[in-house]
Amino acid sequence: MLTRQAEKSHIVSSIELMTQNTEKTAVSASQTALSAEGALTSSMSEGYSSQFNSQRANKIAANAAVHNGVLAAAVDYEGVRQLRRTFSIELKQGSITNQKRSGRCWMFSGLNVCRYEMIKDLNLADLELSETYLFFWDKMEKANYYLESILDTLDEPLSSREWEYVNADLVDDGGWFWGFANLVNKYGLMPADAYPESANSDSSADMVQYVNALLREDAAQLRARHEQGASLAVLREVKSQMLAAIYRMLSISLGEPPATFDFVVRTKDDEDKDSQSAESSENSSAADSSAEKGEKSEKDGEKKGFITGKLIVDKNITPLEFFHKYCSVDLNDYVDVADAPHKEYGKLYELRRSSNMVAGHEIQFANMGMDVIKRALIAQLQAGHPAWFACDCEPFSLRRMGVFDRKSVNVEALFDVEYKLDKADRLRFGESLGNHAMTIQGVDLDENGNPTRWKIENSWGKMVGENGYFVMSDEWFSDFVYDVVLRREFLDADTLAVAHSKPVELEPWDPFCKATRCIA
């Protein structure tokens, strides 16, 4: 039996408990109300269904998209027909290249610019430069850059944004024009037959996965040794030993790059080629006539075809010697001219932590806008020089047909929606990021000298587009091209002044930085 005091305490405790339960119930009810507000309800879904089924066009669009895919259903045949593949200015390139299942587009595009000039200068029918060679050294340099970044951020909290960026990409395939220039200026070039493609350059994901995994173990070890008091000099020695393992992994995966090679090619001989074509046609006609009579042609076996032209033989040459001797391209004589409308125009910007090698060229771009880009680009093409550029290759594009054009890929009509964000807001909100580099090889100009469409050399092989080439409408160019790397000789004085000014430094996670960091 409770005493009066105990009973009083019990009553007070019961009241407090009831109060607490009431408060908890009220909070719970409030949370339920908050979570329920804004939720998708069955009545809303029923209304959406009613709206959808009330329009006959929705059913037709659904039939087309479900069975054929969104892009195929969105193809506007009138738009495709209007986007013809004739160009008033058109450069003749060698055979199309194929990066396959790798993110080396930035490297292929740079090599396509260089080999075009070499084919023209040496009078060759074709030439492909080794993508694997630069790929090997890009991985080595990125591994060293990552480990140096670890040494640079030893006291950085692992939860910081800086650390998150440093630890994000490692030796992934992506890159930029200045990364290409860094590699060529340091390591040179070589023909593809001196260091051909391999299974792991064609499809790099597995190799990259395990190299990155080892590098992150290395990073953990370096930070642990730092906490134990190891000096920077000691840590750099440890880093050097770590890089030996990375070199071994890359050499096993790609084959060790040759230090020297033999360069052997034969130049074209246009007169002999024309003569041979005429003789071939004449022999074919005679053989056909004899075959009809059941007789053997007297000319059979009389003429043998010989490969003519000058033979160029350069034995035991190094990649740097090859580059300086046979490639007239000065990669330091280019300016990356951008259209980044979310940044102030007329400024030079530099991306912090954007290089692919220690002491290499950081990514810089002169933000001058589309008018400057197109004017200089047309002049460069007219003078017979292609151009490296970067874009967002995904919106309003048809990979199989080789089309970049908003009117030809009319998803707005298919879904009955409108996409209204301008270029600046697409960058700010992460809707559009530069993700692919290609080479511009031609342009069509109207009667007033304005561009209507562009000829694009891709690096996805001959089975996409028209033998590997894409056509890009000028409207799409303005919307989704971000950078074009141009020769200084075709730039106006204002652009050159900006290119030589002190750059404004941008953080690596700036929207435009993110756009340029992950080209693949």
Side-chain angles (χ1 to χ4, degrees):
M1 187 174 181
L2 296 175
T3 62
R4 184 180 294 266
Q5 184 64 32
E7 184 178 1
K8 183 177 179 182
S9 298
H10 176 70
I11 293 171
V12 171
S13 298
S14 298
I15 293 172
E16 289 177 347
L17 182 61
M18 291 173 62
T19 303
Q20 291 173 1
N21 289 338
T22 302
E23 290 174 350
K24 288 181 179 180
T25 302
V27 170
S28 177
S30 174
Q31 290 174 340
T32 301
L34 287 173
S35 62
E37 185 178 356
L40 181 65
T41 65
S42 58
S43 61
M44 292 166 65
S45 300
E46 291 169 1
Y48 301 149
S49 176
S50 176
Q51 292 176 24
F52 176 82
N53 286 286
S54 67
Q55 298 295 322
R56 175 174 172 270
N58 290 336
K59 289 295 190 70
I60 297 173
N63 284 333
V66 168
H67 291 287
N68 301 290
V70 167
L71 291 183
V75 172
D76 187 317
Y77 74 90
E78 290 184 352
V80 174
R81 287 178 180 177
Q82 292 172 7
L83 199 64
R84 298 187 305 278
R85 294 179 185 264
T86 54
F87 305 91
S88 52
I89 302 171
E90 189 171 6
L91 308 183
K92 185 178 181 181
Q93 177 63 293
S95 57
I96 207 74
T97 55
N98 193 347
Q99 69 187 78
K100 298 187 179 177
R101 297 179 62 187
S102 70
R104 297 175 291 165
C105 60
W106 56 283
M107 190 180 293
F108 273 71
S109 180
L111 290 172
N112 284 336
V113 169
C114 290
R115 76 187 182 109
Y116 173 85
E117 303 292 349
M118 295 175 70
I119 289 171
K120 181 174 63 174
D121 293 344
L122 297 175
N123 190 33
L124 304 178
D126 199 5
L127 175 69
E128 184 172 355
L129 298 170
S130 175
E131 299 88 6
T132 310
Y133 176 67
L134 294 186
F135 194 50
F136 181 99
W137 290 114
D138 183 58
K139 298 305 183 194
M140 277 300 298
E141 289 288 355
K142 283 177 177 174
N144 182 56
Y145 190 89
Y146 170 72
L147 293 179
E148 273 298 312
S149 297
I150 295 301
L151 297 181
D152 188 47
T153 57
L154 288 169
D155 297 315
E156 190 75 25
L158 298 184
S159 59
S160 73
R161 197 170 193 180
E162 186 83 10
W163 166 257
E164 180 183 354
Y165 181 82
V166 165
N167 200 45
D169 291 334
L170 281 70
V171 303
D172 289 5
D173 288 358
W176 202 247
F177 177 83
W178 294 121
F180 169 77
N182 286 338
L183 293 169
V184 175
N185 284 332
K186 185 172 182 178
Y187 294 102
L189 297 170
M190 65 175 61
D193 59 5
Y195 192 15
E197 292 287 87
S198 66
N200 293 301
S201 59
D202 286 346
S203 182
S204 59
D206 293 338
M207 178 186 72
V208 169
Q209 174 188 347
Y210 289 104
V211 171
N212 282 347
L214 184 61
L215 284 171
R216 289 195 172 101
E217 293 203 10
D218 293 340
Q221 183 180 344
L222 290 173
R223 287 181 70 102
R225 291 204 177 197
H226 169 67
E227 291 174 0
Q228 294 165 5
S231 67
L232 184 59
V234 170
L235 292 178
R236 280 223 168 89
E237 179 59 34
V238 172
K239 183 201 78 169
S240 179
Q241 298 169 12
M242 293 171 171
L243 287 173
I246 301 301
Y247 186 93
R248 182 171 64 250
M249 295 177 74
L250 294 175
S251 295
I252 291 171
S253 302
L254 301 171
E256 192 174 16
T260 63
F261 58 92
D262 295 341
F263 179 49
V264 182
V265 293
R266 191 181 293 274
T267 64
K268 291 188 300 182
D269 190 325
D270 293 335
E271 291 184 4
D272 285 347
K273 184 177 179 181
D274 293 340
S275 175
Q276 287 177 9
S277 297
E279 289 174 355
S280 174
S281 177
E282 180 184 347
N283 290 344
S284 176
S285 298
D288 290 344
S289 177
S290 298
E292 289 176 2
K293 299 177 182 179
E295 300 172 356
K296 180 177 177 63
S297 169
E298 293 181 356
K299 292 188 176 182
D300 284 355
E302 284 185 1
K303 291 185 177 289
K304 301 292 185 182
F306 289 93
I307 298 176
T308 60
K310 178 183 176 183
L311 190 65
I312 299 175
V313 180
D314 204 337
K315 291 184 175 294
N316 204 35
I317 189 172
T318 69
L320 272 173
E321 288 171 344
F322 175 78
F323 169 56
H324 292 300
K325 185 174 182 178
Y326 293 106
C327 186
S328 61
V329 176
D330 182 356
L331 295 171
N332 301 312
D333 198 35
Y334 284 81
V335 176
D336 186 340
V337 186
D339 180 39
H342 71 307
K343 299 293 182 187
E344 184 180 354
Y345 286 116
K347 298 283 186 182
L348 181 69
Y349 294 93
E350 182 173 279
L351 285 58
R352 189 169 64 84
R353 293 195 184 279
S354 63
S355 181
N356 61 339
M357 66 173 62
V358 176
H361 196 305
E362 301 281 0
I363 294 174
Q364 287 185 350
F365 60 91
N367 193 26
M368 304 302 295
M370 268 300 156
D371 289 343
V372 171
I373 290 174
K374 291 180 181 180
R375 185 166 57 249
L377 175 57
I378 291 170
Q380 182 166 314
L381 289 170
Q382 287 173 328
H385 304 291
W388 187 105
F389 79 103
C391 68
D392 182 354
C393 70
E394 295 179 345
F396 309 103
S397 66
L398 299 173
R399 182 186 182 105
R400 184 181 61 81
M401 298 176 66
V403 168
F404 295 123
D405 179 35
R406 197 163 188 152
K407 294 177 181 176
S408 298
V409 192
N410 199 348
V411 292
E412 292 175 310
L414 176 70
F415 293 127
D416 191 21
V417 297
E418 290 184 76
Y419 296 102
K420 297 180 179 180
L421 285 182
D422 61 18
K423 195 172 187 177
D425 277 341
R426 285 197 296 270
L427 281 169
R428 293 189 186 102
F429 287 88
E431 167 54 27
S432 181
L433 300 174
N435 51 33
H436 191 46
M438 295 175 283
T439 311
I440 299 174
Q441 292 283 359
V443 63
D444 188 69
L445 305 176
D446 64 17
E447 61 275 8
N448 297 316
N450 297 315
T452 62
R453 56 188 176 273
W454 303 82
K455 182 180 181 180
I456 308 301
E457 179 189 8
N458 208 341
S459 54
W460 290 345
K462 296 176 65 175
M463 301 306 292
V464 295
E466 188 173 275
N467 293 320
Y469 286 91
F470 280 53
V471 58
M472 176 190 296
S473 69
D474 188 61
E475 178 188 10
W476 196 97
F477 188 109
S478 296
D479 282 344
F480 298 107
V481 169
Y482 292 105
D483 292 56
V484 181
V485 179
L486 297 161
R487 297 164 71 114
R488 292 177 186 271
E489 62 194 278
F490 301 107
L491 298 174
D492 58 47
D494 290 341
T495 304
L496 290 174
V498 170
H500 289 101
S501 65
K502 182 179 179 180
V504 178
E505 188 176 72
L506 296 178
E507 294 293 348
W509 44 84
D510 180 90
F512 198 75
C513 298
K514 289 190 293 184
T516 58
R517 185 61 173 163
C518 303
I519 299 298

